[in-house]
Amino acid sequence: MSTITMTAHYAKLKAGVAVLFLVAIVFYLAYSHIYSSRSPSAAYIPEGVDRLTSGRGMLSEMALEEIPENKLPEADMSTVQHKTSELAGNEIHIDGATGDIYYREAIDQSYIEKEPEGDVLLLHGANFDASTWHQLHTIDQLAKLGYRVVAIDLPGYGKSREVTYSGEAETLLLDVMKELNINRPVVVSPSMSGEYALPLVLHHPYLIRAFVAVAPVGTEAFSDSEYENCQVPTLIVYGDQDTGIGLESLSHLQHLPHHIVEKLVDARHPAYLDQPERWHQILYNFLNAVPK
């Protein structure tokens, strides 16, 4: 083999090795991105999170502020705009769903020209839907406090009852957040909706401002270390009469490093239904404590 031929062969060999090296780097970076986006992020700690009691807080042991009268739902509601079934824009298409997902949305127009408090995403339990939060005045209360509020009917429930979804539960919420431009929401998750909210909060903590867990199901599916690595500020709520899911979920959620617990007296599994005024008061105080 001539020297020229050997040189050309050697050059091709070097080029091939270089290409393989670059391909390996690309695959490594892609894998790292996917893994980090789906795994609990121990490095992500929201600024100001230490303002919350770390691990041992009991709202019932704290002096709770009353909601100002002008911020109660009974006050002037003329500024609160709703998107409901009577208005356009109440349904969105999500990939993997066999039909459109229904949602309710409310925002106080007086906050449009100034910085709003943020977004709240309301989920629901198996016997309820987005209308529950409307009937309970939670949507109106949060809107009066300056939040943009979105409550959705999960697939199989409410006005989404005919819809089935074939994707991952957390992906549904990620797509809803993307379609509705929901930015770092406070996620409120009672009971059944824990199947959707827990993987979202634990796998994507950097996308969540805070978590309000009302006896969610599915807490046993995650390890203590997964909870311990999640830095999302969390309010844990359960009724004193909920000796099943309420206590079981508490046993797992209490491993979250930044949590506060509220046990509602004379309250069942859907504790917010039995103590709506207290429910709104603890929401108000918790949201005031959570950094933006």
Side-chain angles (χ1 to χ4, degrees), residues 116-144:
E117 294 296 327
D119 294 341
V120 177
L121 178 60
L122 297 173
L123 307 179
H124 60 81
N127 293 324
F128 308 98
D129 54 40
S131 67
T132 303
W133 300 120
H134 176 65
Q135 296 163 7
L136 201 65
H137 299 298
T138 300
I139 292 177
D140 290 338
Q141 178 62 88
L142 291 170
K144 288 295 292 183

Side-chain angles (χ1 to χ4, degrees), residues 25-89:
I25 291 177
V26 169
F27 272 102
Y28 172 78
L29 291 175
Y31 174 81
S32 298
H33 173 73
I34 294 171
Y35 180 81
S36 63
S37 68
R38 298 187 62 86
S39 301
S41 176
Y44 176 73
I45 303 178
E47 183 178 355
V49 73
D50 288 335
R51 283 163 35 192
L52 287 173
T53 324
S54 295
R56 299 181 182 84
M58 289 290 289
L59 282 179
S60 57
E61 298 174 357
M62 301 167 62
L64 296 186
E65 295 182 9
E66 296 289 339
I67 302 175
E69 288 189 8
N70 65 334
K71 298 297 183 182
L72 291 171
E74 293 77 11
D76 179 18
M77 293 297 295
S78 62
T79 57
V80 176
Q81 179 183 5
H82 286 261
K83 284 187 178 180
T84 62
S85 56
E86 290 75 30
L87 298 176

Side-chain angles (χ1 to χ4, degrees), residues 9-248:
H9 179 72
Y10 181 69
K12 289 181 179 179
L13 182 61
K14 286 180 63 178
V17 171
V19 169
L20 289 175
F21 181 73
L22 289 173
V23 169
I25 291 177
V26 169
F27 272 102
Y28 172 78
L29 291 175
Y31 174 81
S32 298
H33 173 73
I34 294 171
Y35 180 81
S36 63
S37 68
R38 298 187 62 86
S39 301
S41 176
Y44 176 73
I45 303 178
E47 183 178 355
V49 73
D50 288 335
R51 283 163 35 192
L52 287 173
T53 324
S54 295
R56 299 181 182 84
M58 289 290 289
L59 282 179
S60 57
E61 298 174 357
M62 301 167 62
L64 296 186
E65 295 182 9
E66 296 289 339
I67 302 175
E69 288 189 8
N70 65 334
K71 298 297 183 182
L72 291 171
E74 293 77 11
D76 179 18
M77 293 297 295
S78 62
T79 57
V80 176
Q81 179 183 5
H82 286 261
K83 284 187 178 180
T84 62
S85 56
E86 290 75 30
L87 298 176
N90 60 303
E91 294 179 341
I92 51 173
H93 175 72
I94 299 297
D95 288 343
T98 58
D100 291 341
I101 300 297
Y102 174 82
Y103 71 94
R104 290 173 178 260
E105 181 179 354
I107 188 169
D108 192 322
Q109 296 298 302
S110 63
Y111 286 88
I112 294 296
E113 296 181 358
K114 58 184 178 181
E115 183 180 1
E117 294 296 327
D119 294 341
V120 177
L121 178 60
L122 297 173
L123 307 179
H124 60 81
N127 293 324
F128 308 98
D129 54 40
S131 67
T132 303
W133 300 120
H134 176 65
Q135 296 163 7
L136 201 65
H137 299 298
T138 300
I139 292 177
D140 290 338
Q141 178 62 88
L142 291 170
K144 288 295 292 183
L145 293 175
Y147 291 89
R148 176 196 175 208
V149 189
V150 176
I152 69 172
D153 283 353
L154 292 166
Y157 300 91
K159 295 188 177 182
S160 304
R161 68 174 61 89
E162 302 299 327
V163 179
T164 59
Y165 180 69
S166 60
E168 297 288 337
E170 65 195 273
T171 303
L172 174 77
L173 296 185
L174 288 171
D175 287 345
V176 166
M177 289 165 58
K178 180 180 178 181
E179 288 295 321
L180 295 179
N181 195 28
I182 300 173
N183 181 41
R184 292 192 65 241
V186 175
V187 177
V188 178
S189 172
S191 196
M192 175 278 300
S193 65
E195 296 178 353
Y196 292 84
L198 285 167
L200 173 70
V201 171
L202 294 174
H203 295 163
H204 309 273
Y206 46 89
L207 297 178
I208 307 302
R209 177 183 172 190
F211 183 37
V212 180
V214 190
V217 304
T219 54
E220 74 285 351
F222 303 91
S223 66
D224 291 351
S225 63
E226 286 180 286
Y227 287 111
E228 291 164 358
N229 286 333
C230 181
Q231 304 295 326
V232 174
T234 301
L235 170 62
I236 304 170
V237 181
Y238 72 101
D240 64 348
Q241 297 177 12
D242 184 6
T243 57
I245 298 176
L247 293 181
E248 180 183 0

